[in-house]
Amino acid sequence: MLPTKEEALELLLKYNESDALIKHAKQVEAAMMHWAKYYGEDEHKYGIVGLLHDLDYEKYPDLHCQKTEEILKENDYDEDIIRAIMSHGYGICTDVEPITNMEKTLFTIDELTGIINALCLLRPSHSVLDLKTKSLSKKFKDKKFAEGCDRNIINKGIEMLGLDRNVVFEETIKGLQERAEECGLKGEL
Ligand SMILES: [Fe+2]
Ligand SMILES: [Fe+2]
């Protein structure tokens, strides 16, 4: 089944208490929903995949993705949602290769939204609303900045998508801008 947003959120909150992880989930959800529009695909489904992609990470970090697969199967979630979530751990904790647009997008923007979040916190406005692609590009190249966000994974994802890096940056920023308040990136603007 494809859950409603409320059902997915309820599941997220059942397994997650960390504000940082919940914020991350909402940021990935926002970016995914924008990318669905970019591809003319199912915005709701992309959002659910984004919201739940790290469902198991707080309670089962050593079983990341595997435990989510188990939980979502128990809840009768559709196979394409489960597969997409598994594929964000490709080469890290799963061998499920991202194939669809939805999967490749999730793989790419997971770490990328982490860099954008860190960058927003640094800015005087604390906001994504006035963030420019150029600033993100600069910080992306600065390997010391938000070094926990793996540039190799992002580059690998961009290559899978077959898009220009600046397009990926710009569209992902747009997604976060569209839901800035909801994903904690409105700042003082
Ligand atoms: Fe993850
Ligand atoms: Fe994540």
Side-chain angles (χ1 to χ4, degrees):
M1 64 110 179
L2 176 63
T4 62
K5 175 159 173 169
E6 289 66 36
E7 286 167 339
L9 199 56
E10 195 182 310
L11 192 63
L12 179 76
L13 297 177
K14 185 173 163 190
Y15 288 92
N16 290 269
E17 284 166 18
S18 149
D19 286 341
L21 275 173
I22 294 167
K23 190 178 169 196
H24 170 65
K26 290 183 174 176
Q27 290 175 357
V28 174
E29 177 196 24
M32 287 298 285
M33 289 179 84
H34 177 80
W35 276 100
K37 282 188 282 180
Y38 179 91
Y39 285 117
E41 294 183 19
D42 188 337
E43 208 178 319
H44 175 68
K45 187 181 283 183
Y46 268 61
I48 299 294
V49 163
L51 193 63
L52 295 180
H53 80 284
D54 279 337
L55 179 67
D56 59 10
Y57 194 69
E58 183 174 322
K59 286 195 167 42
Y60 310 95
D62 297 334
L63 292 170
H64 186 35
C65 294
Q66 322 296 337
K67 198 70 191 175
T68 300
E69 180 184 29
E70 197 183 305
I71 297 166
L72 297 187
K73 275 188 174 160
E74 273 166 20
N75 284 273
D76 205 27
Y77 273 52
D78 288 344
E79 194 49 50
D80 59 343
I81 297 177
I82 299 175
R83 192 188 190 281
I85 289 178
M86 297 288 287
S87 77
H88 94 272
Y90 179 57
I92 309 152
C93 51
T94 77
D95 56 5
V96 181
E97 188 177 358
I99 291 174
T100 63
N101 288 332
M102 182 165 75
E103 293 169 351
K104 291 174 186 172
T105 303
L106 176 64
F107 187 88
T108 309
I109 59 113
D110 182 16
E111 300 281 303
L112 184 58
T113 54
I115 298 181
I116 298 173
N117 182 61
L119 179 50
C120 290
L121 293 177
L122 259 195
R123 317 189 70 237
S125 67
H126 295 125
S127 180
V128 76
L129 293 173
D130 58 349
L131 177 66
K132 300 271 183 291
T133 305
K134 232 170 125 183
S135 318
L136 176 58
S137 291
K138 217 166 129 193
K139 288 296 184 193
F140 183 82
K141 286 175 198 143
D142 175 1
K143 300 271 153 69
K144 289 245 158 60
F145 179 77
E147 53 188 347
C149 302
D150 193 334
R151 271 63 168 180
N152 292 329
I153 293 179
I154 299 169
N155 283 328
K156 200 166 140 187
I158 292 172
E159 203 176 299
M160 287 177 194
L161 288 169
L163 294 172
D164 184 81
R165 188 197 278 169
N166 281 324
V167 172
V168 175
F169 286 0
E170 195 180 327
E171 296 300 330
T172 304
I173 290 173
K174 272 190 211 162
L176 296 175
Q177 287 173 337
E178 281 161 15
R179 286 166 202 276
E181 176 126 49
E182 208 179 320
C183 61
L185 290 176
K186 190 172 173 287
E188 277 88 59
L189 292 181

